[in-house]
Amino acid sequence: MEDLGYILKRRSRFFVEREFRNKGIARRIVQRLEEEAARQGYKGIKLETGDQQTEAIGFYKKNGYGEIERFREYADCPSSLCYEKRL
């Protein structure tokens, strides 16, 4: 992971194979990442997903991530949706 110096470290691509979905795996992974980020003193997590990634969008909203303005390299990308969760 690359330290961005703000919120959390960069992590690219996260998904659960279709046959393992709806078993709480993704939630447990994200919860563990959130716990570790908080333990390290981070105050929140920012992330980006594509506007066609409906399952990801629903997952992030269901797990407390609110939509924010696009940031960094996503700022000018109209298909990017950005979310944040304060820890």
Side-chain angles (χ1 to χ4, degrees):
M1 288 196 244
E2 172 191 356
D3 190 342
L4 298 176
Y6 174 68
I7 303 295
L8 187 59
K9 300 175 187 232
R10 179 183 302 257
R11 183 78 236 147
S12 297
R13 301 233 169 38
F14 161 68
F15 67 95
V16 174
E17 294 286 347
R18 193 167 300 280
E19 66 266 24
F20 298 106
R21 292 181 187 168
N22 298 312
K23 298 179 192 278
I25 295 169
R27 176 66 208 130
R28 288 194 301 270
I29 292 169
V30 168
Q31 183 175 8
R32 180 65 184 98
L33 291 171
E34 292 169 352
E35 289 168 356
E36 182 60 22
R39 188 189 71 74
Q40 291 185 30
Y42 291 98
K43 303 297 183 206
I45 297 174
K46 284 185 178 182
L47 58 87
E48 180 274 346
T49 192
D51 62 2
Q52 301 299 307
Q53 303 297 321
T54 56
E55 290 177 350
I57 294 165
F59 175 82
Y60 293 130
K61 287 181 176 180
K62 183 171 92 173
N63 286 284
Y65 288 78
E67 193 166 352
I68 60 171
E69 281 190 44
R70 293 187 301 265
F71 59 93
R72 295 186 179 257
E73 65 266 30
Y74 310 112
D76 296 322
C77 182
S79 65
S80 286
L81 297 174
C82 295
Y83 294 87
E84 180 178 32
K85 181 176 182 178
R86 302 302 290 172
L87 301 176

Coordinates of all heavy atoms in Angstrom, one line a residue:
M1 N 0.8 -1.2 0.0 CA 0.0 0.0 0.0 C 0.9 1.2 0.0 O 1.9 1.3 0.7 CB -0.9 0.0 1.2 CG -2.0 -1.0 1.1 SD -3.3 -0.6 2.3 CE -3.2 -2.1 3.3
E2 N 0.4 2.2 -0.7 CA 1.2 3.5 -0.8 C 0.6 4.5 0.2 O -0.6 4.7 0.2 CB 1.0 4.0 -2.2 CG 1.5 5.4 -2.4 CD 1.1 6.0 -3.8 OE1 0.5 5.3 -4.6 OE2 1.4 7.1 -4.0
D3 N 1.4 5.1 1.0 CA 0.9 6.1 2.0 C 0.7 7.4 1.3 O 1.6 8.0 0.7 CB 2.0 6.3 3.1 CG 1.5 7.1 4.2 OD1 0.5 7.8 4.1 OD2 2.1 7.0 5.3
L4 N -0.6 7.9 1.3 CA -0.9 9.1 0.6 C -0.8 10.3 1.6 O -1.0 11.4 1.2 CB -2.4 9.0 0.1 CG -2.6 8.0 -0.9 CD1 -4.1 7.9 -1.3 CD2 -1.8 8.2 -2.1
G5 N -0.5 10.0 2.8 CA -0.3 11.1 3.8 C -1.6 11.7 4.3 O -1.7 12.6 5.1
Y6 N -2.7 11.2 3.8 CA -4.1 11.7 4.2 C -5.0 10.6 4.2 O -5.1 9.8 3.2 CB -4.5 12.8 3.3 CG -6.0 13.3 3.6 CD1 -6.2 14.0 4.7 CD2 -7.0 13.0 2.7 CE1 -7.5 14.4 5.0 CE2 -8.3 13.4 3.0 CZ -8.5 14.1 4.1 OH -9.8 14.5 4.4
I7 N -5.8 10.4 5.2 CA -6.9 9.5 5.4 C -6.4 8.0 5.5 O -6.4 7.4 6.5 CB -8.0 9.6 4.3 CG1 -8.5 11.0 4.3 CG2 -9.1 8.6 4.6 CD1 -9.2 11.4 5.6
L8 N -5.9 7.4 4.4 CA -5.5 6.0 4.4 C -4.6 5.8 3.3 O -4.3 6.6 2.5 CB -6.8 5.1 4.3 CG -6.6 3.6 4.5 CD1 -6.0 3.3 5.9 CD2 -7.9 2.9 4.3
K9 N -4.1 4.6 3.2 CA -3.1 4.2 2.2 C -3.9 3.7 1.0 O -5.0 3.3 1.1 CB -2.2 3.1 2.7 CG -1.4 3.6 3.9 CD -0.6 2.5 4.5 CE 0.0 3.0 5.7 NZ 1.4 2.8 5.9
R10 N -3.3 3.8 -0.2 CA -3.9 3.4 -1.4 C -4.0 1.9 -1.5 O -3.0 1.2 -1.3 CB -3.1 4.0 -2.6 CG -3.7 3.6 -3.9 CD -2.8 4.1 -5.0 NE -2.7 5.5 -5.0 CZ -3.4 6.4 -5.7 NH1 -4.2 6.0 -6.6 NH2 -3.2 7.7 -5.6
R11 N -5.1 1.5 -1.9 CA -5.3 0.0 -2.2 C -6.2 -0.1 -3.5 O -7.2 0.5 -3.6 CB -6.1 -0.6 -1.0 CG -6.3 -2.1 -1.1 CD -5.0 -2.8 -0.8 NE -4.7 -3.7 -1.9 CZ -3.5 -4.0 -2.3 NH1 -2.5 -3.6 -1.6 NH2 -3.3 -4.8 -3.3
S12 N -5.6 -0.7 -4.5 CA -6.3 -0.9 -5.7 C -7.1 -2.1 -5.8 O -6.7 -3.2 -5.3 CB -5.4 -0.8 -6.9 OG -4.7 0.4 -6.9
R13 N -8.3 -2.1 -6.3 CA -9.2 -3.2 -6.6 C -9.4 -4.1 -5.5 O -8.6 -4.7 -4.8 CB -8.6 -4.0 -7.8 CG -8.5 -3.2 -9.0 CD -9.1 -3.8 -10.2 NE -9.3 -3.0 -11.4 CZ -8.4 -2.1 -11.9 NH1 -7.3 -1.9 -11.3 NH2 -8.7 -1.5 -13.0
F14 N -10.7 -4.2 -5.2 CA -11.1 -5.1 -4.1 C -12.5 -5.7 -4.5 O -13.4 -4.9 -4.9 CB -11.3 -4.2 -2.8 CG -12.2 -4.8 -1.8 CD1 -11.8 -5.9 -1.1 CD2 -13.4 -4.2 -1.5 CE1 -12.6 -6.5 -0.1 CE2 -14.2 -4.8 -0.5 CZ -13.8 -5.9 0.2
F15 N -12.5 -7.0 -4.6 CA -13.8 -7.6 -4.9 C -13.8 -9.0 -4.4 O -12.8 -9.6 -4.1 CB -14.1 -7.6 -6.4 CG -13.1 -8.5 -7.2 CD1 -13.5 -9.8 -7.5 CD2 -11.9 -8.0 -7.6 CE1 -12.6 -10.6 -8.3 CE2 -11.0 -8.8 -8.4 CZ -11.4 -10.1 -8.7
V16 N -15.0 -9.6 -4.2 CA -15.2 -11.0 -3.8 C -15.8 -11.7 -5.0 O -16.7 -11.2 -5.6 CB -16.1 -11.0 -2.6 CG1 -16.5 -12.5 -2.2 CG2 -15.5 -10.3 -1.4
E17 N -15.2 -12.9 -5.3 CA -15.7 -13.7 -6.4 C -17.2 -14.0 -6.2 O -17.7 -14.2 -5.0 CB -14.9 -15.0 -6.5 CG -13.5 -14.8 -6.9 CD -13.3 -14.5 -8.3 OE1 -14.2 -14.6 -9.1 OE2 -12.1 -14.1 -8.7
R18 N -17.9 -14.0 -7.3 CA -19.4 -14.1 -7.2 C -19.9 -15.3 -6.3 O -20.8 -15.1 -5.6 CB -19.9 -14.3 -8.7 CG -21.4 -14.1 -8.7 CD -21.9 -14.0 -10.2 NE -21.4 -12.8 -10.9 CZ -21.8 -11.6 -10.7 NH1 -22.8 -11.3 -9.9 NH2 -21.3 -10.6 -11.4
E19 N -19.3 -16.4 -6.4 CA -19.7 -17.6 -5.6 C -19.6 -17.4 -4.1 O -20.1 -18.1 -3.3 CB -19.1 -18.9 -6.1 CG -17.6 -19.0 -5.9 CD -16.8 -18.6 -7.1 OE1 -17.3 -17.8 -7.9 OE2 -15.6 -19.0 -7.1
F20 N -18.8 -16.4 -3.7 CA -18.5 -16.2 -2.3 C -19.2 -14.9 -1.8 O -19.1 -14.6 -0.6 CB -17.0 -16.1 -2.0 CG -16.3 -17.3 -2.3 CD1 -15.5 -17.4 -3.5 CD2 -16.4 -18.5 -1.6 CE1 -14.8 -18.6 -3.8 CE2 -15.7 -19.6 -1.9 CZ -14.9 -19.7 -3.0
R21 N -20.0 -14.3 -2.6 CA -20.7 -13.1 -2.2 C -21.9 -13.4 -1.3 O -22.4 -14.5 -1.2 CB -21.2 -12.3 -3.4 CG -20.0 -11.7 -4.2 CD -20.4 -11.0 -5.4 NE -19.2 -10.6 -6.2 CZ -19.3 -10.2 -7.4 NH1 -20.4 -9.9 -8.0 NH2 -18.1 -9.9 -8.0
N22 N -22.3 -12.3 -0.6 CA -23.4 -12.4 0.4 C -23.2 -13.4 1.5 O -24.1 -13.9 2.1 CB -24.7 -12.8 -0.4 CG -25.1 -11.8 -1.4 OD1 -25.1 -10.6 -1.1 ND2 -25.4 -12.2 -2.6
K23 N -21.9 -13.5 1.9 CA -21.5 -14.3 3.1 C -20.8 -13.4 4.1 O -20.3 -14.0 5.1 CB -20.6 -15.4 2.6 CG -21.3 -16.4 1.6 CD -20.4 -17.5 1.2 CE -20.9 -18.3 0.1 NZ -21.8 -19.3 0.3
G24 N -20.8 -12.1 3.9 CA -20.2 -11.2 4.9 C -18.7 -11.1 4.7 O -18.0 -10.4 5.6
I25 N -18.1 -11.7 3.7 CA -16.6 -11.6 3.5 C -16.1 -10.2 3.3 O -15.2 -9.7 3.9 CB -16.2 -12.6 2.4 CG1 -16.5 -14.0 2.8 CG2 -14.7 -12.4 2.1 CD1 -16.4 -15.0 1.6
A26 N -16.8 -9.5 2.3 CA -16.3 -8.1 2.0 C -16.5 -7.2 3.2 O -15.6 -6.4 3.5 CB -17.1 -7.6 0.8
R27 N -17.6 -7.4 3.9 CA -17.8 -6.5 5.1 C -16.7 -6.8 6.2 O -16.2 -5.9 6.8 CB -19.2 -6.8 5.7 CG -19.4 -6.1 7.0 CD -19.5 -4.6 6.8 NE -19.1 -3.9 8.0 CZ -18.2 -2.9 8.1 NH1 -17.6 -2.5 7.0 NH2 -17.9 -2.4 9.2
R28 N -16.3 -8.0 6.4 CA -15.3 -8.3 7.3 C -13.9 -7.8 6.9 O -13.1 -7.3 7.7 CB -15.2 -9.9 7.6 CG -16.4 -10.4 8.4 CD -16.2 -11.8 8.9 NE -15.9 -12.8 7.9 CZ -16.9 -13.5 7.3 NH1 -18.2 -13.3 7.6 NH2 -16.6 -14.4 6.4
I29 N -13.6 -7.9 5.6 CA -12.4 -7.3 5.1 C -12.3 -5.8 5.3 O -11.4 -5.2 5.8 CB -12.2 -7.6 3.6 CG1 -11.9 -9.1 3.4 CG2 -11.0 -6.8 3.0 CD1 -12.0 -9.6 2.0
V30 N -13.4 -5.1 4.9 CA -13.5 -3.7 5.1 C -13.4 -3.3 6.6 O -12.7 -2.3 6.9 CB -14.7 -3.1 4.4 CG1 -14.9 -1.6 4.8 CG2 -14.5 -3.2 2.9
Q31 N -14.1 -4.0 7.4 CA -14.1 -3.7 8.8 C -12.7 -3.8 9.4 O -12.2 -3.0 10.2 CB -15.0 -4.7 9.6 CG -15.1 -4.4 11.0 CD -16.2 -5.3 11.7 OE1 -16.7 -6.2 11.1 NE2 -16.4 -5.0 13.0
R32 N -12.0 -4.9 8.9 CA -10.6 -5.0 9.4 C -9.7 -3.9 9.0 O -8.9 -3.4 9.7 CB -10.1 -6.4 8.9 CG -8.7 -6.7 9.4 CD -8.6 -6.8 10.9 NE -7.2 -7.0 11.3 CZ -6.4 -6.0 11.7 NH1 -6.9 -4.8 11.9 NH2 -5.2 -6.3 12.0
L33 N -9.9 -3.5 7.7 CA -9.1 -2.3 7.2 C -9.4 -1.1 8.0 O -8.5 -0.3 8.3 CB -9.4 -2.1 5.7 CG -8.8 -3.2 4.8 CD1 -9.4 -3.0 3.4 CD2 -7.3 -3.2 4.8
E34 N -10.7 -0.9 8.3 CA -11.1 0.3 9.1 C -10.5 0.3 10.5 O -10.0 1.3 11.0 CB -12.6 0.4 9.1 CG -13.3 0.7 7.8 CD -14.8 0.5 7.8 OE1 -15.3 0.0 8.8 OE2 -15.4 0.9 6.8
E35 N -10.5 -0.9 11.1 CA -9.9 -1.0 12.4 C -8.4 -0.7 12.4 O -7.9 -0.1 13.3 CB -10.2 -2.5 12.9 CG -11.6 -2.7 13.3 CD -11.9 -4.2 13.5 OE1 -10.9 -5.1 13.4 OE2 -13.0 -4.6 13.9
E36 N -7.7 -1.3 11.4 CA -6.3 -1.0 11.3 C -6.0 0.4 11.0 O -5.1 1.0 11.6 CB -5.7 -1.9 10.2 CG -4.2 -1.8 10.1 CD -3.4 -2.1 11.4 OE1 -3.9 -2.9 12.3 OE2 -2.3 -1.7 11.5
A37 N -6.8 1.1 10.2 CA -6.6 2.5 9.9 C -6.8 3.3 11.2 O -6.0 4.2 11.5 CB -7.6 2.9 8.8
A38 N -7.8 3.0 11.9 CA -8.1 3.7 13.2 C -6.9 3.5 14.2 O -6.5 4.4 14.8 CB -9.4 3.3 13.8
R39 N -6.5 2.2 14.3 CA -5.4 1.9 15.2 C -4.1 2.7 14.8 O -3.4 3.1 15.7 CB -5.1 0.4 15.1 CG -4.1 -0.1 16.1 CD -3.6 -1.5 15.9 NE -2.8 -1.6 14.8 CZ -1.5 -1.2 14.7 NH1 -0.9 -0.7 15.7 NH2 -0.8 -1.4 13.6
Q40 N -3.9 3.0 13.5 CA -2.7 3.7 13.1 C -2.9 5.2 13.2 O -2.1 6.0 12.8 CB -2.4 3.3 11.6 CG -1.8 1.9 11.5 CD -1.4 1.6 10.1 OE1 -0.9 2.4 9.4 NE2 -1.5 0.3 9.8
G41 N -4.1 5.6 13.6 CA -4.4 7.1 13.8 C -5.0 7.8 12.7 O -5.2 9.0 12.8
Y42 N -5.4 7.1 11.7 CA -6.1 7.7 10.6 C -7.6 8.1 11.0 O -8.2 7.4 11.8 CB -6.2 6.8 9.3 CG -4.8 6.6 8.7 CD1 -4.1 5.5 9.0 CD2 -4.3 7.6 7.8 CE1 -2.8 5.4 8.4 CE2 -3.1 7.5 7.3 CZ -2.3 6.3 7.5 OH -1.1 6.2 7.0
K43 N -8.1 9.2 10.5 CA -9.4 9.7 10.9 C -10.5 9.3 9.9 O -11.6 9.5 10.2 CB -9.3 11.2 11.0 CG -8.3 11.7 11.9 CD -8.5 11.3 13.3 CE -7.5 11.9 14.3 NZ -7.3 11.1 15.5
G44 N -10.1 8.7 8.8 CA -11.2 8.3 7.9 C -10.6 7.6 6.7 O -9.3 7.4 6.6
I45 N -11.4 7.1 5.8 CA -11.0 6.5 4.6 C -11.8 7.1 3.4 O -13.0 7.3 3.4 CB -11.4 5.0 4.6 CG1 -10.6 4.3 5.8 CG2 -11.1 4.3 3.3 CD1 -11.0 2.8 6.0
K46 N -11.0 7.4 2.3 CA -11.6 7.9 1.1 C -11.4 6.8 0.0 O -10.4 6.1 0.1 CB -10.9 9.1 0.6 CG -11.2 10.4 1.3 CD -10.6 11.6 0.6 CE -11.0 12.8 1.3 NZ -10.4 14.0 0.6
L47 N -12.3 6.6 -0.9 CA -12.2 5.7 -1.9 C -12.9 6.1 -3.2 O -13.7 7.1 -3.2 CB -12.8 4.3 -1.5 CG -14.2 4.3 -1.0 CD1 -15.1 4.1 -2.2 CD2 -14.4 3.2 0.0
E48 N -12.6 5.5 -4.3 CA -13.2 5.8 -5.6 C -13.8 4.5 -6.2 O -13.2 3.4 -6.0 CB -12.2 6.4 -6.5 CG -12.7 6.8 -7.9 CD -12.6 5.6 -8.9 OE1 -12.0 4.6 -8.7 OE2 -13.3 5.8 -10.0
T49 N -14.9 4.6 -6.9 CA -15.4 3.5 -7.7 C -16.0 4.1 -9.0 O -16.3 5.3 -9.0 CB -16.4 2.6 -6.9 OG1 -16.7 1.4 -7.7 CG2 -17.7 3.4 -6.7
G50 N -16.2 3.3 -9.9 CA -16.9 3.7 -11.2 C -18.4 3.8 -11.1 O -19.0 3.1 -10.3
D51 N -19.0 4.7 -11.8 CA -20.4 4.9 -11.7 C -21.2 3.7 -12.3 O -22.4 3.6 -12.0 CB -20.8 6.2 -12.4 CG -20.5 6.2 -13.9 OD1 -20.0 5.3 -14.5 OD2 -20.8 7.3 -14.5
Q52 N -20.6 2.8 -12.9 CA -21.2 1.6 -13.4 C -21.1 0.4 -12.4 O -21.7 -0.7 -12.6 CB -20.7 1.2 -14.8 CG -20.8 2.2 -15.8 CD -22.3 2.5 -16.1 OE1 -23.1 1.7 -16.4 NE2 -22.6 3.8 -16.0
Q53 N -20.4 0.6 -11.3 CA -20.1 -0.4 -10.3 C -21.2 -0.4 -9.3 O -21.0 -0.1 -8.1 CB -18.8 -0.3 -9.7 CG -17.6 -0.3 -10.7 CD -17.5 -1.6 -11.4 OE1 -17.7 -2.6 -10.8 NE2 -17.2 -1.5 -12.7
T54 N -22.5 -0.8 -9.7 CA -23.6 -0.6 -8.8 C -23.5 -1.4 -7.5 O -24.0 -1.0 -6.5 CB -24.9 -1.0 -9.6 OG1 -24.8 -2.3 -10.1 CG2 -25.2 0.0 -10.7
E55 N -22.9 -2.6 -7.6 CA -22.8 -3.4 -6.4 C -21.8 -2.8 -5.4 O -22.1 -2.7 -4.2 CB -22.3 -4.8 -6.7 CG -23.4 -5.7 -7.4 CD -22.9 -7.0 -7.8 OE1 -21.7 -7.3 -7.7 OE2 -23.7 -7.8 -8.2
A56 N -20.7 -2.2 -5.9 CA -19.8 -1.5 -5.0 C -20.4 -0.3 -4.4 O -20.3 0.0 -3.2 CB -18.5 -1.1 -5.8
I57 N -21.1 0.5 -5.2 CA -21.8 1.7 -4.7 C -22.8 1.3 -3.6 O -22.7 2.0 -2.5 CB -22.5 2.4 -5.9 CG1 -21.5 3.0 -6.9 CG2 -23.4 3.5 -5.3 CD1 -22.1 3.4 -8.2
G58 N -23.6 0.3 -3.8 CA -24.5 -0.1 -2.7 C -23.8 -0.6 -1.5 O -24.2 -0.3 -0.4
F59 N -22.7 -1.3 -1.7 CA -21.9 -1.8 -0.6 C -21.3 -0.7 0.3 O -21.4 -0.7 1.5 CB -20.8 -2.7 -1.1 CG -19.9 -3.2 0.0 CD1 -20.2 -4.3 0.8 CD2 -18.7 -2.6 0.2 CE1 -19.4 -4.7 1.8 CE2 -17.8 -3.0 1.2 CZ -18.1 -4.1 2.0
Y60 N -20.7 0.3 -0.4 CA -20.1 1.4 0.3 C -21.2 2.2 1.1 O -21.0 2.5 2.3 CB -19.3 2.3 -0.6 CG -18.1 1.5 -1.1 CD1 -17.8 1.5 -2.5 CD2 -17.2 0.9 -0.3 CE1 -16.7 0.9 -3.0 CE2 -16.1 0.2 -0.8 CZ -15.9 0.2 -2.2 OH -14.8 -0.5 -2.7
K61 N -22.3 2.5 0.4 CA -23.3 3.2 1.1 C -23.9 2.5 2.3 O -24.1 3.1 3.4 CB -24.5 3.6 0.1 CG -24.1 4.6 -0.9 CD -25.3 4.9 -1.8 CE -24.9 6.0 -2.8 NZ -26.0 6.3 -3.7
K62 N -24.1 1.2 2.1 CA -24.6 0.4 3.2 C -23.7 0.3 4.4 O -24.1 0.1 5.6 CB -24.9 -1.0 2.7 CG -25.5 -2.0 3.7 CD -26.0 -3.3 3.1 CE -24.8 -4.3 3.1 NZ -25.3 -5.6 2.7
N63 N -22.4 0.5 4.1 CA -21.4 0.4 5.2 C -20.9 1.7 5.7 O -19.8 1.8 6.2 CB -20.3 -0.5 4.7 CG -20.7 -2.0 4.7 OD1 -20.8 -2.6 5.8 ND2 -21.0 -2.5 3.6
G64 N -21.7 2.8 5.5 CA -21.4 4.1 6.1 C -20.6 5.0 5.3 O -20.1 6.1 5.9
Y65 N -20.3 4.8 4.0 CA -19.5 5.7 3.2 C -20.4 6.7 2.5 O -21.4 6.3 1.9 CB -18.7 4.9 2.2 CG -17.5 4.2 2.8 CD1 -17.7 3.0 3.5 CD2 -16.2 4.7 2.8 CE1 -16.7 2.3 4.1 CE2 -15.2 4.0 3.4 CZ -15.4 2.8 4.0 OH -14.4 2.2 4.7
G66 N -20.1 8.0 2.7 CA -20.9 9.0 2.0 C -20.2 9.6 0.8 O -19.0 9.7 0.8
E67 N -21.0 9.9 -0.2 CA -20.4 10.4 -1.4 C -19.8 11.8 -1.2 O -20.4 12.6 -0.4 CB -21.5 10.5 -2.5 CG -20.9 10.8 -3.9 CD -21.9 10.6 -5.0 OE1 -23.0 10.1 -4.8 OE2 -21.5 10.9 -6.1
I68 N -18.6 12.0 -1.8 CA -17.9 13.3 -1.6 C -17.5 13.7 -3.0 O -17.7 13.0 -4.0 CB -16.6 13.1 -0.7 CG1 -15.7 12.1 -1.3 CG2 -17.0 12.8 0.7 CD1 -14.3 12.0 -0.6
E69 N -16.9 14.9 -3.1 CA -16.4 15.4 -4.4 C -15.3 14.5 -4.8 O -14.5 14.0 -4.0 CB -15.8 16.9 -4.2 CG -16.9 17.9 -4.2 CD -16.3 19.3 -4.3 OE1 -15.3 19.5 -5.1 OE2 -16.7 20.2 -3.5
R70 N -15.1 14.4 -6.1 CA -14.0 13.6 -6.7 C -12.7 14.3 -6.3 O -12.6 15.5 -6.2 CB -14.1 13.5 -8.2 CG -15.3 12.7 -8.6 CD -15.4 12.5 -10.1 NE -15.4 13.7 -10.9 CZ -16.5 14.3 -11.4 NH1 -17.7 13.7 -11.1 NH2 -16.5 15.4 -12.1
F71 N -11.7 13.5 -6.0 CA -10.4 14.0 -5.5 C -9.3 13.4 -6.4 O -9.4 12.4 -7.1 CB -10.2 13.7 -4.1 CG -10.3 12.2 -3.7 CD1 -9.1 11.5 -3.7 CD2 -11.5 11.5 -3.5 CE1 -9.1 10.1 -3.4 CE2 -11.5 10.2 -3.2 CZ -10.3 9.5 -3.1
R72 N -8.1 14.1 -6.2 CA -6.8 13.7 -6.8 C -7.0 13.4 -8.3 O -7.6 14.1 -9.0 CB -6.2 12.5 -6.0 CG -5.8 13.0 -4.6 CD -5.0 11.8 -4.0 NE -4.6 12.3 -2.7 CZ -3.4 12.6 -2.4 NH1 -2.4 12.7 -3.2 NH2 -3.1 13.0 -1.1
E73 N -6.5 12.2 -8.7 CA -6.6 11.9 -10.1 C -8.0 11.6 -10.7 O -8.2 11.5 -11.9 CB -5.7 10.7 -10.4 CG -6.1 9.4 -9.8 CD -5.5 9.1 -8.5 OE1 -5.1 10.0 -7.7 OE2 -5.4 7.9 -8.2
Y74 N -9.0 11.5 -9.8 CA -10.4 11.3 -10.2 C -11.1 12.6 -10.4 O -12.3 12.6 -10.8 CB -11.1 10.4 -9.1 CG -10.3 9.2 -8.8 CD1 -9.8 9.1 -7.5 CD2 -10.1 8.2 -9.7 CE1 -9.0 7.9 -7.2 CE2 -9.4 7.1 -9.4 CZ -8.8 6.9 -8.1 OH -8.1 5.8 -7.8
A75 N -10.5 13.7 -10.0 CA -11.2 15.0 -10.0 C -11.9 15.4 -11.3 O -13.0 15.9 -11.3 CB -10.3 16.1 -9.6
D76 N -11.3 15.0 -12.4 CA -11.8 15.4 -13.7 C -12.4 14.2 -14.5 O -12.6 14.2 -15.7 CB -10.7 16.0 -14.6 CG -10.2 17.3 -14.0 OD1 -11.1 18.1 -13.5 OD2 -9.0 17.6 -14.1
C77 N -12.6 13.1 -13.8 CA -13.2 11.9 -14.4 C -14.7 11.8 -14.1 O -15.1 11.4 -13.0 CB -12.4 10.7 -13.9 SG -13.0 9.1 -14.6
P78 N -15.5 12.1 -15.1 CA -17.0 12.1 -14.8 C -17.5 10.7 -14.5 O -18.6 10.7 -13.9 CB -17.6 12.6 -16.2 CG -16.5 12.4 -17.2 CD -15.2 12.4 -16.5
S79 N -16.9 9.6 -14.8 CA -17.4 8.3 -14.4 C -17.0 7.8 -13.0 O -17.4 6.8 -12.6 CB -17.0 7.3 -15.4 OG -15.6 7.1 -15.4
S80 N -16.2 8.6 -12.3 CA -15.7 8.3 -11.0 C -16.7 8.8 -9.9 O -17.2 9.9 -10.0 CB -14.3 8.9 -10.7 OG -13.3 8.2 -11.4
L81 N -16.9 8.0 -8.9 CA -17.7 8.4 -7.8 C -16.8 8.2 -6.6 O -16.1 7.1 -6.4 CB -19.0 7.5 -7.6 CG -20.0 7.6 -8.7 CD1 -21.1 6.6 -8.5 CD2 -20.6 9.0 -8.8
C82 N -16.7 9.2 -5.7 CA -15.8 9.1 -4.5 C -16.6 9.1 -3.2 O -17.7 9.8 -3.2 CB -14.8 10.2 -4.6 SG -13.7 10.1 -6.0
Y83 N -16.2 8.4 -2.3 CA -16.8 8.2 -1.0 C -15.8 8.4 0.1 O -14.6 8.2 0.0 CB -17.5 6.8 -0.9 CG -18.6 6.6 -1.9 CD1 -18.3 6.2 -3.2 CD2 -19.9 6.9 -1.6 CE1 -19.3 6.0 -4.1 CE2 -20.9 6.8 -2.5 CZ -20.6 6.3 -3.7 OH -21.6 6.2 -4.7
E84 N -16.4 8.7 1.3 CA -15.5 8.8 2.5 C -16.3 8.3 3.7 O -17.5 8.5 3.8 CB -15.2 10.3 2.7 CG -14.3 10.5 3.9 CD -13.9 12.0 4.1 OE1 -14.7 12.9 3.7 OE2 -12.8 12.2 4.6
K85 N -15.6 7.7 4.6 CA -16.1 7.3 5.9 C -15.2 7.8 7.0 O -14.0 7.5 7.0 CB -16.3 5.8 6.0 CG -16.9 5.3 7.4 CD -17.1 3.9 7.3 CE -17.7 3.4 8.6 NZ -17.9 1.9 8.6
R86 N -15.7 8.6 7.9 CA -14.9 9.0 9.1 C -14.9 7.9 10.1 O -15.8 7.2 10.3 CB -15.5 10.2 9.7 CG -15.7 11.4 8.8 CD -14.4 11.9 8.1 NE -13.6 12.6 9.1 CZ -12.3 13.0 8.9 NH1 -11.8 12.8 7.7 NH2 -11.7 13.5 9.9
L87 N -13.7 7.7 10.7 CA -13.5 6.6 11.6 C -13.7 7.1 13.1 O -13.4 8.2 13.4 CB -12.1 6.0 11.4 CG -11.9 5.4 10.0 CD1 -10.5 4.9 9.9 CD2 -12.9 4.3 9.7

